[in-house]
């Protein structure tokens, strides 16, 4: 179920996310319209006719053992056992340090449909031949798919270095739209720009990409300075006008943004991002006729993007034009495979206009899937806003009867809505009754523990977590939550148990950044600042969460790294729209903010 990404009780798990996370805010449309240029992991149809058609020949340096290993690998490939073939080539490559063997291993691994094997082969290939561009392309694609945008960028730079067709700006634009941290993208860009003898095109491309990171960090003056530093040398590059338009929009200069997008579209008529930028600018300017025309042209150009209409409707809706949003979405209703966000957004529009019955009709058409819980939450909220709390509860009960898979989540939604209406006692009774019916329901038990903690009832929270762990001893989320609770309360007598619980959670989920932060916080409570810093920095690198940020600031300060602590404080205050835990830290330790 959707839940707090931190998976522990200091922040209550949110069952329903804002609409924008399920539709397409303006920047996220760039991911669909631009996309990353990467090397496909899956083999092409041409390759499947002869998987090794492009593999280099093996011509020398074989002894009996090596020949045997390669024959086994070759035979495995002929039988379609590509995993065994790849492993055989890897073994031979390790023996002979041969780029040709590594390349064959990588080609075979692609057919094995195992990303981990592909990555192992590509990394070995790159270690032997650092300049091998196919290896870098594969590693960039794999890193992008798991959201490691910094590594993906580093590999893309290897592929693009000094090429006159490089488009690092497009890559960075897509990465930022997908949620990449701009400061982590800026680092490899600066490193690359510091290299001597860069081609003029590649230097301009890197500069434009850095300007995007500046803008994403809120430093619009620096972003504009980078653009100006290129003079007229880059005016024939479409990415120049892409960046110029984005910066102008961020500076709330829609007319300037529109002119820049027009220039870019003239240079690159097939790039849909410029139509998107013009649409955004027109909406901001109130030029609805032009915005409508550009939106329709964009939809016609990219019929292969089914959610595009939803994203464009969101742009109109955000600026107060619900009729334009409805114009885009209503024709889609009832079509085969209508995306669920269409019904969700139309339900929201009807609810905002006070048409509750039509809103319910739209919400009920959202099927089980990513938008199901949000649609039911919004439907119940629409009834509550109309003064119909009893109807809202009846609606949620009815939905529970028809959706056993989402039963617990729908109970949680009802509980949260009751809390929002000041009906805490009713919410208490609802949770008590449901847990009495199904005492081993881990989702409900965990939610009640989080809710109790948020209400200051540490005893109930601890009791529920212990009960959950008793029923589910390998529940890493509950182990971490209870361990963090005990550590954060600061009682030295509880630290041993806290550490034991969190270490057990870490054994179960060694790559969970929330658990890394908890391990760091236990170390901090013990006074082991160096260990605390190592764990919390690792967590911060993976999830730039405001609570992790608050922990890191405090550890840095106590280690005597005051400037780093203050820089991070400023970054966190800019990065998070709401940062109550940062505020609490400043209130508790005002010297950090001085």
């Amino acid at each position: 179920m959707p839940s707090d990404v931190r998976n522990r009780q200091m922040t209550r798990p949110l069952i329903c996310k804002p609409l924008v996370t399920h539709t397409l805010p303006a920047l996220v449309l760039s991911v669909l319209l631009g996309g990353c240029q990467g090397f496909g992991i899956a083999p092409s149809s041409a390759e499947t006719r002869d998987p090794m058609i492009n593999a280099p020949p093996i011509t020398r340096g074989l002894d009996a053992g090596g020949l045997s290993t390669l024959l086994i690998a070759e035979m495995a490939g002929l039988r379609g056992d590509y995993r065994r073939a790849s492993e055989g080539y890897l073994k031979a490559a390790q023996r002979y340090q041969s780029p040709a063997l590594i390349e064959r291993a990588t080609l075979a691994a692609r057919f094995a449909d195992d990303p981990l094997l592909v990555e192992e082969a590509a990394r070995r290939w790159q270690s032997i031949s650092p300049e091998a561009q196919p290896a870098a392309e594969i590693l960039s694609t794999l890193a992008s798919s798991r959201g490691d945008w910094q590594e993906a960028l580093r590999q893309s730079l290897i592929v693009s270095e000094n090429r006159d067709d490089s488009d690092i700006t497009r890559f960075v634009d897509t990465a930022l739209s997908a949620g990449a941290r701009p400061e982590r993208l800026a680092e490899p860009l600066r490193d690359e720009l510091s290299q001597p003898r860069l081609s003029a095109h590649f230097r301009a491309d890197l500069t434009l990409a850095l300007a995007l990171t500046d803008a994403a960090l809120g430093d619009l003056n620096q972003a504009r300075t980078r653009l100006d530093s290129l003079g007229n040398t880059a005016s024939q590059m479409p990415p120049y006008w892409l960046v110029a338009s984005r910066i102008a929009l961020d500076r709330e200069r829609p007319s300037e943004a529109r002119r820049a997008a027009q220039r870019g579209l003239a240079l690159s008529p097939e790039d849909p991002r410029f139509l998107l930028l013009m649409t955004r600018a027109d909406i901001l300017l109130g030029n609805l006729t032009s915005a409508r025309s550009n939106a329709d042209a964009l939809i016609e150009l990219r019929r292969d993007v089914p959610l595009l209409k939803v994203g464009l409707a969101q742009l109109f809706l955000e600026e107060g034009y619900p009729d334009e949003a409805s114009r885009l979405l209503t024709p889609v209703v009832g079509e085969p495979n209508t995306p669920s966000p269409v019904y969700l957004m139309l339900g929201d529009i009807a609810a905002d206009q006070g048409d509750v019955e039509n809103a319910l009709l739209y919400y009920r058409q959202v099927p089980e899937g990513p938008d199901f819980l949000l649609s039911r939450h919004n439907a119940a909220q629409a009834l509550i806003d109309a003064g119909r709390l009893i109807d809202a509860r009846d609606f949620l009960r009815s939905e529970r009867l028809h959706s056993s898979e989402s039963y617990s989540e729908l109970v949680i939604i009802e509980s949260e809505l009751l809390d929002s209406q000041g009906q805490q006692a009713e919410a208490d009774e609802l949770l008590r009754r449901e847990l009495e019916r199904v005492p081993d329901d881990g989702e409900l038990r965990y939610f009640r523990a989080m809710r109790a903690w948020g209400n200051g009832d540490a005893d109930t929270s601890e009791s529920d977590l212990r009960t959950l762990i008793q029923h589910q001893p390998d529940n890493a989320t509950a182990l971490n939550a209870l361990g963090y609770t005990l550590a954060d309360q600061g009682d030295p007598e509880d630290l041993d148990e806290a550490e034991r619980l969190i270490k057990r959670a870490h054994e179960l989920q060694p790559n969970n950044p929330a658990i890394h932060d908890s391990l760091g916080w236990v170390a901090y409570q013990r006074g082991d600042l160096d260990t605390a810093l190592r764990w919390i920095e690792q967590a911060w690198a993976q999830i730039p969460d405001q609570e992790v940020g608050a922990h890191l600031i405090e550890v840095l300060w106590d280690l005597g790294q005051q400037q780093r602590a203050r820089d991070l404080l400023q970054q966190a205050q800019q990065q998070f729209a709401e940062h109550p835990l940062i505020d609490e830290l400043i209130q508790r330790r005002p010297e950090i903010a001085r």
Side-chain angles (χ1 to χ4, degrees), residues 342-536:
V342 169
Y343 296 116
L344 185 60
M345 189 176 291
L346 285 171
D348 284 349
I349 292 171
D352 287 343
Q353 294 173 342
D355 189 353
V356 177
E357 299 309 320
N358 262 334
L360 292 177
L361 287 174
Y362 285 126
Y363 288 136
R364 281 195 168 107
Q365 292 184 74
V366 176
E368 288 276 6
D371 295 308
F372 176 79
L373 290 174
L374 184 59
S375 67
R376 272 52 183 180
H377 171 277
N378 289 2
Q381 186 66 62
L383 288 165
I384 289 173
D385 291 342
R388 298 165 58 183
L389 176 60
I390 294 175
D391 290 344
R393 298 193 68 182
D394 287 342
F395 167 79
L396 290 172
R397 289 192 196 99
S398 173
E399 291 297 307
R400 291 202 290 273
L401 293 175
H402 294 93
S403 178
S404 58
E405 290 184 3
S406 299
Y407 190 99
S408 298
E409 291 94 332
L410 290 165
V411 171
I412 291 170
I413 287 174
E414 184 176 350
S415 173
E416 290 193 317
L417 290 173
L418 287 168
D419 281 338
S420 72
Q421 297 301 302
Q423 302 279 341
Q424 284 82 7
E426 289 291 330
D428 289 342
E429 175 58 23
L430 171 65
L431 293 171
R432 184 201 64 75
R433 186 172 63 248
E434 293 297 334
L435 280 170
E436 188 176 84
R437 185 180 64 84
V438 189
D440 60 349
D441 188 320
E443 294 177 8
L444 281 182
R445 183 75 64 182
Y446 182 76
F447 173 79
R448 191 170 74 167
M450 301 306 97
R451 179 174 175 272
W453 178 267
N455 292 334
D457 185 356
D459 291 340
T460 297
S461 179
E462 182 177 336
S463 174
D464 271 336
L465 288 172
R466 290 190 184 280
T467 300
L468 178 53
I469 292 169
Q470 184 179 4
H471 287 148
Q472 300 176 13
D474 290 338
N475 187 319
T477 297
L479 289 164
N480 186 49
L482 180 56
Y484 182 84
T485 299
L486 296 172
D488 195 56
Q489 289 174 346
D491 188 339
E493 295 182 1
D494 290 335
L495 287 180
D496 287 343
E497 183 185 8
E499 188 169 23
R500 177 180 59 77
L501 289 164
I502 297 169
K503 283 185 174 179
R504 174 57 183 153
H506 184 249
E507 290 173 3
L508 293 165
Q509 294 184 5
N511 298 317
N512 188 322
I515 296 173
H516 297 165
D517 182 51
S518 296
L519 287 168
W521 201 238
V522 169
Y524 177 78
Q525 297 286 19
R526 290 193 183 281
D528 185 355
L529 298 181
D530 291 330
T531 299
L533 180 63
R534 186 176 72 252
W535 282 115
I536 297 173

Side-chain angles (χ1 to χ4, degrees), residues 51 114 273 347 556:
D114 183 344
R273 293 175 301 170
L556 288 169

Side-chain angles (χ1 to χ4, degrees), residues 39-62:
F39 186 84
I41 300 303
S44 67
S45 58
E47 289 173 314
T48 56
R49 300 189 194 102
D50 183 354
M52 296 306 190
I53 191 170
N54 295 317
I58 308 304
T59 59
R60 63 185 178 84
L62 298 177

Side-chain angles (χ1 to χ4, degrees), residues 202-263:
F202 191 51
R203 183 175 294 279
D205 191 15
L206 294 171
T207 302
L208 290 170
L210 261 178
L212 282 177
T213 65
D214 291 331
L217 287 167
D219 193 347
L220 299 179
N221 290 333
Q222 177 63 40
R224 187 69 241 183
T225 299
R226 289 194 198 278
L227 272 186
D228 294 341
S229 73
L230 296 174
N232 293 324
T233 61
S235 62
Q236 295 305 305
M237 295 174 61
Y240 176 90
W241 298 108
L242 173 77
V243 177
S245 184
R246 291 220 186 284
I247 292 172
L249 283 172
D250 288 341
R251 298 173 84 179
E252 299 182 357
R253 298 179 180 179
S255 295
E256 182 182 327
R258 194 182 194 285
R259 288 194 297 271
Q262 279 182 310
R263 294 286 299 272

Side-chain angles (χ1 to χ4, degrees), residues 110-285:
R110 291 174 62 205
F111 284 84
D113 194 24
D114 183 344
L116 292 177
L117 184 61
V118 175
E119 183 162 8
E120 179 188 357
R123 289 203 180 281
R124 295 271 292 278
W125 187 1
Q126 194 172 70
S127 70
I128 293 176
S129 299
E131 74 287 352
Q133 290 194 356
E137 289 171 340
I138 290 171
L139 291 172
S140 178
T141 299
L142 288 168
S144 298
S145 69
R146 64 174 181 264
D148 186 353
W149 293 104
Q150 187 179 50
E151 173 63 13
L153 175 57
R154 290 188 191 281
Q155 297 295 340
S156 292
L157 289 169
I158 294 173
V159 175
S160 302
E161 190 169 20
N162 273 339
R163 283 171 50 171
D164 287 338
D165 62 347
S166 71
D167 200 353
I168 295 298
T169 304
R170 175 190 287 267
F171 178 93
V172 170
D173 183 45
T174 301
L176 290 170
S177 300
R181 293 172 60 185
E183 68 275 13
R184 292 179 65 80
L185 297 178
E187 180 184 338
L189 292 172
R190 291 194 191 98
D191 289 345
E192 191 71 21
L193 259 178
S194 69
Q195 302 301 313
R197 295 185 295 278
L198 297 179
S199 70
H201 173 91
F202 191 51
R203 183 175 294 279
D205 191 15
L206 294 171
T207 302
L208 290 170
L210 261 178
L212 282 177
T213 65
D214 291 331
L217 287 167
D219 193 347
L220 299 179
N221 290 333
Q222 177 63 40
R224 187 69 241 183
T225 299
R226 289 194 198 278
L227 272 186
D228 294 341
S229 73
L230 296 174
N232 293 324
T233 61
S235 62
Q236 295 305 305
M237 295 174 61
Y240 176 90
W241 298 108
L242 173 77
V243 177
S245 184
R246 291 220 186 284
I247 292 172
L249 283 172
D250 288 341
R251 298 173 84 179
E252 299 182 357
R253 298 179 180 179
S255 295
E256 182 182 327
R258 194 182 194 285
R259 288 194 297 271
Q262 279 182 310
R263 294 286 299 272
L265 191 62
L267 292 170
S268 184
E270 298 302 313
D271 192 333
R273 293 175 301 170
F274 291 115
L275 277 173
L276 173 62
L277 288 165
M278 289 175 63
T279 304
R280 290 183 62 197
D282 280 329
I283 292 172
L284 291 170
L285 290 166

